[in-house]
Amino acid sequence: VGVSLPLVIYTSALSVYEAERFADGANITSFGEAIWWALASVTTVGYGDRFPVTEDGRFIATFLMIIGIGLFSSLTALLAAWVMGQKNDQNT
């Protein structure tokens, strides 16, 4: 998760920046805005201040949200398993 998440964020930001920067009505026109959008989207917060307007950008957004849900769910499951393992060790 520690390696995958930054790689997915960077790749998605770069991809959506490339897809959106010259599109009509785009509000992701710099790489900084693309990074902000990717961070907000991967955490499923999605403030709505930045969003893709192209079909390619929306495809990337869908991919990023699904991957983000999976990665954060995996992290939560790992933490829960660790806590439960600690609890079971104390009971034996």
Side-chain angles (χ1 to χ4, degrees):
V1 172
V3 173
S4 299
L5 193 59
L7 185 61
V8 167
I9 290 170
Y10 178 77
T11 304
S12 297
L14 191 60
S15 299
V16 85
Y17 171 63
E18 185 63 31
E20 297 285 314
R21 66 182 174 161
F22 296 123
D24 289 336
N27 58 32
I28 301 173
T29 56
S30 72
F31 187 67
E33 291 170 347
I35 289 286
W36 169 251
W37 166 82
L39 285 169
S41 295
V42 79
T43 59
T44 66
V45 171
Y47 288 110
D49 58 342
R50 303 278 177 237
F51 53 89
V53 296
T54 64
E55 189 173 315
D56 290 343
R58 290 179 178 170
F59 177 77
I60 295 163
T62 301
F63 169 78
L64 181 61
M65 287 183 275
I66 291 169
I67 295 298
I69 290 167
L71 286 172
F72 281 104
S73 298
S74 297
L75 184 62
T76 302
L78 182 65
L79 181 62
W82 178 76
V83 168
M84 293 304 292
Q86 294 290 333
K87 184 178 178 183
N88 286 339
D89 289 345
Q90 290 175 355
N91 290 338
T92 55

